[in-house]
Amino acid sequence: MFKIVKKRILTPVTKLFEVDAALVAKKAQPGQFVVVRVTEKGERIPLTVAATDPGRGTVTIVVQEVGKTSSMLGRLEEGQDLLDFAGPLGKPAPLLDSGHVVVVGGGFGVAPILPIAKALKSRGVKVTGIVGARTKDLLILRDELAESCGEVLVATDDGSLGTKGLVTDVLKKELIDQGVKIDQVIAIGPMVMMRAVAEATRPYNLKTLVSLDPIMVDGTGMCGACRCTVEGKTRFACVDGPIFDAHKVDFDEAVRRGKMYAAEQRVAFDRYKAEVAK
Ligand SMILES: Cc1cc2nc3c(=O)[nH]c(=O)nc-3n(C[C@H](O)[C@H](O)[C@H](O)COP(=O)(O)OP(=O)(O)OC[C@H]3O[C@@H](n4cnc5c(N)ncnc54)[C@H](O)[C@@H]3O)c2cc1C
Ligand code: FES
């Protein structure tokens, strides 16, 4: 059992948890994830490590409630336990040792970007952040990201904060078009956002990494659920990734596979909502 020692509500559907998991805290590197199980008969969901505190033996995760299991997790409170907290899984993010890296976080993606930005800063890399959300109330962890970035630029769909538009608008207009030298872009968030960032940087041959979030089951390379195609080759995101060269990812396939069980996921979520409403 893994105790929740702290809970923070970031938005009505986004919750931060600090979890007592000393061994994971000792080993996890930026870019790695854990697989969490909430109940005995429940499914296992992958969540990226957002921070570790090896001294206290805690690991921070941030969950956006999009379906049944993420919502069950989001309702847990301090003092309650998670059944499984397996990790760290996946390959650590390959980080540069110098230059200028732009980190882009959309939605929950700001959380996984945090340890990457922090590690880059500690290596002496200049880091610029771009965060995006539909509206300003859904932006998360901007102050925490600012601790590792010279500047954090903001995009909101409705223009309630920062530039009105998408993170790609900010990346292009405020950095690329201004001639700012960028050595690498790392984007984490919804698939549609990561794909848009890949397309924005492709014409400039600007090295771009994304963290793929396909459906996963075991998280250890055995089931094939997380299969994706990168540079024409089959890869398992859980063991070969989840971070890949964005310009080599087959996003059409990734989007298609991500929607494979959408109808079943909707039914499970509707049943769960009806149960908790009783
Ligand atoms: C390596 C990895 C790291 C991740 N890190 C985080 C994280 O730090 N925080 C976080 O909130 N989420 C993260 N995710 C996504 C998270 O695992 C899913 O949102 C979760 O499994 C959904 O489970 P569910 O039962 O609540 O919803 P489901 O019933 O499984 O799905 C509900 C809806 O969400 C969509 N969906 C399903 N799976 C995913 C997915 N993998 N990514 C995006 N949308 C999905 C479906 O299309 C459906 O519409 C990560 C995924 C991976 C693979
Ligand atoms: S989740 Fe099973 S192989 Fe990756």
Side-chain angles (χ1 to χ4, degrees), residues 216-219 221-226 236 238:
M216 288 188 178
V217 179
D218 64 303
M222 290 189 285
C223 70
C226 66
F236 288 172
C238 65

Side-chain angles (χ1 to χ4, degrees), residues 33 43-49 61-71 108 111-112 190-191 211-216 237 242 258-259 261-262 264-266 268-269:
F33 63 96
E43 67 174 347
R44 302 148 56 82
I45 61 166
L47 297 167
T48 310
V49 172
I61 51 171
V62 171
V63 64
Q64 187 174 351
E65 297 171 20
V66 297
K68 179 179 173 183
T69 307
S70 52
S71 299
F108 81 80
M191 196 77 83
S211 183
L212 293 186
D213 59 355
I215 292 168
M216 288 188 178
K259 289 183 183 154
Y261 300 107
E264 290 84 351
Q265 287 164 336
R266 208 170 309 117
F269 197 21

Side-chain angles (χ1 to χ4, degrees), residues 159-228:
S160 51
L161 196 71
T163 298
K164 184 174 189 310
L166 306 173
V167 288
T168 42
D169 297 325
V170 173
L171 175 63
K172 278 204 272 196
K173 286 184 199 147
E174 297 192 34
L175 298 174
I176 295 175
D177 291 353
Q178 302 300 321
V180 174
K181 187 176 177 310
I182 302 170
D183 298 290
Q184 190 181 58
V185 174
I186 304 177
I188 307 184
M191 196 77 83
V192 59
M193 181 213 94
M194 294 192 285
R195 180 183 207 157
V197 171
E199 292 318 315
T201 57
R202 197 189 299 274
Y204 305 94
N205 211 12
L206 175 48
K207 182 96 180 151
T208 302
L209 301 177
V210 288
S211 183
L212 293 186
D213 59 355
I215 292 168
M216 288 188 178
V217 179
D218 64 303
T220 56
M222 290 189 285
C223 70
C226 66
R227 176 167 65 78
C228 51

